[in-house]
Amino acid sequence: AHYIDDNTAMSRKPGSATAAGGRGGGGSVRSGLGKVKSLPSFRKKEKPPAVDPGLSAANKFLVSSAGGAGTGAPTSAPGSGLGAITSGNEDVLGQIRSNDPNLVKLSLYGRGLGDAGAARLSDALRSNTHLRVIDVGRNGITAAGCASVASVLRGPAGGSGGGKSPQPRLDTLWIRENQIGTDGVASLSSALESSDSTLVGISLGRNGIDPSGARHLASMLRKNVRLKSLWLYGNRLGDDGASTLAEALLMNETLKEIYLGGNGVGDAGAANLAKVLRYSPSLVKLELYKNSITDAGAAKLADALSAPATGGAAQRGALAELNLRGNRIGAEGCAKLLDVLDPDEGGSGGGNATLNLLDIRENPGVSSEADARRLEERAALLAAARYVDVLIRKDQRPSLPPQASARAAVAGEQPQRPGMTSKLASYMDRGISQRGGHTRGGWGDKNRPEPTAEEPALPPLDPKSLDSVRVHLERNELTRVDLSDTAIADAGLVSLIESIQKSGGAGAGAGAGGAMGGAAGGRLEALDVRNCNITGEGVEALAYAMVIGSGADADADADIDIDIDTAPPLETSPPFSSLTELNIGWNDVLDGGVISLSRTLRGNSRLRVLYLNNAALGDEGAAALAELLRAGDARLTELHIRHNSVGCDGVALLSAALLDNTSLAKLLLGWNDVGQAGAEYVADALRTNRTVTLLDLDGNNIGPEGGASLTYGLRENTALQDLWVCGNDLGDDGAEGCASALSAEGSALRTLDLEFNDITANGVRPLAESLQDRPAGSLTTLWLGGNRMGDEGVELLAEALRTNTSLLELSVRFNDVTHEGAQALAESLTEGGSPLRILWLGGNPRLADRGAAAFAE
């Protein structure tokens, strides 16, 4: 099978899985932990849709490969596919048409769909708003079938009927290994030029695409502002096609990675792609494996990567990964590429600071043992001096942790948010996405990188270790349990739930009817199961247990129905009554799991901190959390929902809830899709709310107009102390607005993060003016890294520091600051009375020795 649902360790007998949205019965689930009893699902009463029993609702990624391996899903004979009517295929189409919220990823690789099947599949997709990723690779689809698929990508404009049809929200399409040709590429390119297209990744590998097809793709790249990943491996682009794409990439500021392996690209194509590497502010990954590039082409690429950054439009690019495996590069070309990474050999640019992975395996220059060993020795020295991997041996694998890879910036599991601008992606992937060098997720999420399909599998927890945890839980001896980053999956969570339930009655007998009696409650205060391959089904089991308690164990197989929409707030069961912190982030929770959990917690007055970072949460889940914040009994003080897909609608509901909520102090919404309109709702909430002290809006594509709206809200707010708006393209206008908010009467802001917002010296000027003569207790931390202020902006800040008496920490990293800016800062700190204690200057290679000497003095 090409894909296996790695978000669950459960395997079921055919027919045991319940349909999405239905009521789960009891029974058992099996894993490496042995046989444990499952809890009944806690869901709203509704009629389950009719789907094939083999398509488990727990499998969020429906596996339907040619052999049907891994799922029991029905398969069809080659050539029949969805074009021929079979009961199994009808069930797949029916599940798509029913808009099943559990079906978010679908693989139909090698199912023999043909053009007829592609047309029927496209018709079914028109009514689906939950499916995000679909693979229709190797299905004999030609240009005709491709046109059907393209019509879906254009959005609802072509729909019929009097009402507004739902818009599909696909973000990744794999149509690789078909025969779409130039005409098919033309259809897809035209669709992706539409403003309604939501696609962020498309795979067109091995489709016979030639230079004429590249021209259609180039036209699309000049207009598209959403696409982040483009796979074109194994086609016939040649130098002409590569050069055509390179010209378009110079005008594209959103594409993060492009795969051009196996396309017959030679030195001429490499020379044109080199221009992209020098000037593109967005491209972080370039794959050129198995082409025909020689030393001459390698030299062009190396020269571009070594070129000095001159600021403005000619700013050096942000490439983090370059794959040249299997070309015709000799020893001279390989050595030239390593020069790029060496600050002593990298030309006037002082060495490339963004490249962290260079693959030169299977080239003539590393074929001999002597050449390979010589390059390995040099690569080892470079790796010791900076964060970089150089792959030389055929069987060598990257050794850096996942966050060092550009894959994290463009991972299919969590597409890059539109708010990530310019160099931000490559800097974050190198492990420096930290405020002033300190961990950003300071409340328990360890600054976790974006998940990628290429990460190694999570380590399974030793069953004996889990058994030990369970024993201590049953004895009511633990107050905090941290099982993060272990593959316990739903089965392991269920076993923990059973142990927690038993803890509520430790030392006390059971009451009548099997209910817990005489127990004062459990001692467990914090449960951390982030990144454990848990699904929404496991979270629903947890939600059910938190209100029902262990009294339900006596009849776990019973068909229990609770209408959680109309029922009054449910009392938390004794075993969970002491829980104050819950972290289930970095799991495939989905909106359904969040809805169940939120409804459960409405009557919980004990829980204070809830982590749902990267939990596949959308607007529906955000709506449920908004209701939780409105609930009279709930007393949440921190809500973490970073790295999700919450849009304007969800933010509007959360903002409305803040008008009434009087307990929430920290709301972390970074790396969602708030946008300009969502920022306006947040601004309205800021005008009224007086309890939120920390607001995180990082990477939300707010833009200058959204920043202006926030400013109006900030001017009337007297409670907010920490504001994070990193990576939102606020520009100079946004910086000026923040400066006016800082100067507003009653402003409580102590920390302001404006990193990676395309701010120049013009935007720094009002900020510097607002810092002058600030009394102690005013703004203490200001992050301005990753902008374009240069020496002029730093000199303005230096002048402000001479009279400022409040600022304790300042970041001006990655701002093309030279020794002149360093000299100005050093003089202000020496001659003025600034209380500054922490100054971040990383990523400014032009400071050099003269800049260091200024601070030494």
Side-chain angles (χ1 to χ4, degrees):
H2 282 262
Y3 301 99
I4 292 179
D5 180 1
D6 57 1
N7 292 312
T8 174
M10 293 190 296
S11 60
R12 302 168 185 262
K13 296 179 180 179
S16 65
T18 58
R23 298 186 297 271
S28 63
V29 292
R30 293 182 181 273
S31 71
L33 305 174
K35 183 176 181 180
V36 295
K37 182 179 291 184
S38 65
L39 294 172
S41 289
F42 179 51
R43 302 172 182 259
K44 180 180 177 180
K45 290 185 286 188
E46 56 186 5
K47 183 178 179 180
V51 297
D52 179 66
L55 307 179
S56 169
N59 288 329
K60 305 303 183 292
F61 202 150
L62 178 62
V63 183
S64 303
S65 66
T71 64
T75 61
S76 59
S80 61
L82 296 182
I85 299 177
T86 68
S87 60
N89 288 327
E90 282 302 306
D91 287 331
V92 174
L93 289 175
Q95 195 172 10
I96 295 172
R97 290 192 188 100
S98 68
N99 207 12
D100 180 0
N102 287 315
L103 185 63
V104 294
K105 302 176 184 178
L106 173 67
S107 174
L108 292 170
Y109 182 89
R111 291 291 297 273
L113 303 184
D115 292 340
R120 296 191 62 203
L121 179 63
S122 300
D123 288 340
L125 288 172
R126 295 183 196 281
S127 58
N128 188 292
T129 60
H130 291 287
L131 197 62
R132 297 292 184 267
V133 181
I134 187 167
D135 182 358
V136 291
R138 191 170 288 184
N139 272 291
I141 299 173
T142 69
C146 198
S148 300
V149 176
S151 66
V152 178
L153 301 181
R154 286 190 178 92
S160 60
K164 182 180 179 181
S165 60
Q167 181 177 356
R169 297 176 61 188
L170 281 176
D171 58 43
T172 305
L173 170 66
W174 293 337
I175 194 168
R176 55 199 171 138
E177 301 170 34
N178 285 290
Q179 298 96 42
I180 66 173
T182 300
D183 290 341
V185 170
S187 298
L188 291 171
S189 299
S190 176
L192 292 178
E193 290 177 8
S194 168
S195 60
D196 291 322
S197 174
T198 59
L199 221 58
V200 296
I202 185 168
S203 175
L204 298 169
R206 295 176 185 162
N207 264 293
I209 302 172
D210 58 18
S212 59
R215 285 192 284 274
H216 292 293
L217 290 170
S219 175
M220 176 271 295
L221 289 172
R222 292 187 182 96
K223 302 174 184 178
N224 184 284
V225 295
R226 290 183 179 271
L227 200 66
K228 304 295 185 291
S229 304
L230 178 59
W231 287 270
L232 288 168
Y233 60 88
N235 284 293
R236 302 194 300 270
L237 298 178
D239 284 339
D240 289 344
S243 299
T244 300
L245 291 172
E247 183 181 349
L249 288 173
L250 287 171
M251 290 179 273
N252 181 290
E253 296 186 354
T254 56
L255 197 74
K256 303 295 181 185
E257 62 178 356
I258 185 167
Y259 294 76
L260 296 172
N263 268 286
V265 178
D267 293 337
N272 284 297
L273 287 168
K275 300 175 184 177
V276 180
L277 302 190
R278 179 171 183 178
Y279 299 118
S280 172
S282 61
L283 194 69
V284 296
K285 184 173 183 177
L286 174 61
E287 295 273 357
L288 284 169
Y289 56 88
K290 294 185 179 179
N291 280 293
S292 303
I293 301 170
T294 69
D295 284 354
K300 291 290 186 181
L301 294 170
D303 289 344
L305 291 170
S306 302
T310 57
Q315 183 74 23
R316 176 189 284 164
L319 197 75
E321 289 191 21
L322 176 60
N323 187 343
L324 291 167
R325 180 177 185 174
N327 278 276
R328 302 175 184 175
I329 304 172
E332 182 180 351
C334 290
K336 182 83 172 176
L337 287 166
L338 259 67
D339 287 346
V340 170
L341 305 171
D342 193 336
D344 296 326
E345 300 288 343
S348 59
N352 185 287
T354 64
L355 194 68
N356 58 48
L357 180 59
L358 174 63
D359 190 346
I360 53 174
R361 291 174 291 179
E362 300 179 40
N363 276 286
V366 296
S367 58
S368 73
E369 181 64 26
D371 287 339
R373 185 173 300 167
R374 182 166 54 252
L375 290 171
E376 279 181 329
E377 291 174 356
R378 188 176 180 198
L381 292 174
L382 293 173
R386 52 160 296 188
Y387 216 43
V388 66
D389 247 349
V390 181
L391 306 184
I392 297 172
R393 303 279 184 175
K394 184 175 181 179
D395 58 349
Q396 190 177 352
R397 295 292 181 270
S399 60
L400 293 181
Q403 65 265 31
S405 168
R407 288 190 298 272
V410 288
E413 289 292 330
Q414 177 73 22
Q416 183 78 39
R417 296 255 65 86
M420 188 174 285
T421 59
S422 295
K423 297 175 291 182
L424 177 58
S426 63
Y427 293 147
M428 292 189 69
D429 297 334
R430 292 169 55 217
I432 55 177
S433 56
Q434 302 161 352
R435 307 187 185 283
H438 299 297
T439 303
R440 302 177 66 108
W443 293 276
D445 250 350
K446 300 180 181 177
N447 197 27
R448 196 174 300 278
E450 300 271 350
T452 78
E454 301 181 49
E455 288 183 10
L458 291 175
L461 188 67
D462 183 353
K464 293 182 180 179
S465 300
L466 186 59
D467 288 343
S468 175
V469 174
R470 293 185 61 187
V471 169
H472 287 291
L473 280 173
E474 291 172 6
R475 293 174 181 171
N476 208 4
E477 296 173 343
L478 301 179
T479 58
R480 302 182 69 87
V481 174
D482 183 351
L483 292 172
S484 59
D485 302 309
T486 55
I488 63 171
D490 290 345
L493 180 60
V494 168
S495 68
L496 287 174
I497 290 170
E498 291 181 336
S499 299
I500 295 171
Q501 287 179 314
K502 293 177 182 178
S503 72
M516 302 297 297
R523 296 179 58 195
L524 186 65
E525 297 176 1
L527 176 61
D528 187 346
V529 288
R530 66 180 182 270
N531 202 29
C532 285
N533 288 350
I534 293 169
T535 72
E537 189 168 305
V539 174
E540 289 175 4
L542 174 62
Y544 182 88
M546 290 181 72
V547 294
I548 300 302
S550 60
D553 272 352
D555 193 15
D557 292 335
D559 190 8
I560 300 175
D561 288 331
I562 300 176
D563 191 335
I564 47 185
D565 276 336
T566 59
L570 301 170
E571 183 179 352
T572 304
S573 65
F576 292 91
S577 60
S578 59
L579 195 66
T580 61
E581 182 176 326
L582 177 62
N583 192 335
I584 53 176
W586 299 89
N587 290 297
D588 210 2
V589 177
L590 299 176
D591 285 339
V594 174
I595 290 170
S596 294
L597 185 65
S598 299
R599 289 169 176 170
T600 294
L601 294 174
R602 288 180 190 174
N604 187 308
S605 60
R606 181 76 175 176
L607 193 71
R608 294 292 185 266
V609 183
L610 178 60
Y611 295 92
L612 286 165
N613 296 330
N614 196 38
L617 171 66
D619 287 341
E620 294 179 15
L625 291 171
E627 286 300 314
L628 173 62
L629 294 177
R630 288 179 180 272
D633 293 331
R635 291 292 183 269
L636 275 182
T637 59
E638 295 183 25
L639 179 59
H640 301 246
I641 49 176
R642 291 167 58 89
H643 293 289
N644 282 291
S645 299
V646 179
C648 177
D649 293 343
V651 171
L653 294 171
L654 287 168
S655 301
L658 292 179
L659 300 177
D660 303 321
N661 182 280
T662 58
S663 65
L664 196 70
K666 296 174 181 177
L667 177 59
L668 288 91
L669 269 166
W671 307 105
N672 281 279
D673 201 6
V674 173
Q676 173 190 334
E680 295 174 1
Y681 289 112
V682 174
D684 289 339
L686 289 175
R687 291 188 178 98
T688 304
N689 184 277
R690 293 296 180 266
T691 59
V692 174
T693 58
L694 185 152
L695 178 61
D696 167 21
L697 291 171
D698 285 347
N700 269 292
N701 199 28
I702 291 174
E705 295 182 6
S709 298
L710 279 176
T711 299
Y712 295 131
L714 289 171
R715 288 173 182 167
E716 300 178 28
N717 185 286
T718 58
L720 193 67
Q721 298 178 12
D722 301 293
L723 177 63
W724 303 351
V725 284
C726 163
N728 274 295
D729 198 23
L730 299 182
D732 291 340
D733 290 342
E736 184 177 359
C738 288
S740 67
L742 284 172
S743 302
E745 184 178 356
S747 172
L749 275 177
R750 300 293 180 267
T751 298
L752 177 61
D753 178 6
L754 288 170
E755 294 203 321
F756 300 97
N757 270 297
D758 201 32
I759 299 170
T760 69
N762 292 330
V764 172
R765 182 171 285 103
L767 285 170
E769 292 173 355
S770 71
L771 289 176
Q772 293 177 355
D773 303 317
R774 299 291 291 178
S778 300
L779 192 74
T780 60
T781 305
L782 177 61
W783 289 305
L784 289 168
N787 285 295
R788 296 191 293 120
M789 69 175 71
D791 287 339
E792 183 182 356
V794 169
E795 289 167 1
L796 291 169
L797 291 171
E799 187 64 28
L801 289 176
R802 293 178 181 271
T803 56
N804 179 276
T805 59
S806 67
L807 202 65
L808 302 177
E809 182 172 348
L810 174 65
S811 170
V812 290
R813 58 185 184 149
F814 300 105
N815 265 292
D816 199 25
V817 181
T818 72
H819 63 276
E820 295 179 0
Q823 184 70 40
L825 280 172
E827 290 176 358
S828 71
L829 295 176
T830 302
E831 301 169 6
S834 170
L836 196 72
R837 295 292 178 266
I838 302 174
L839 176 61
W840 300 99
L841 281 162
N844 289 300
R846 293 209 289 165
L847 257 69
D849 289 343
R850 294 175 65 181
F855 284 103
E857 293 172 5

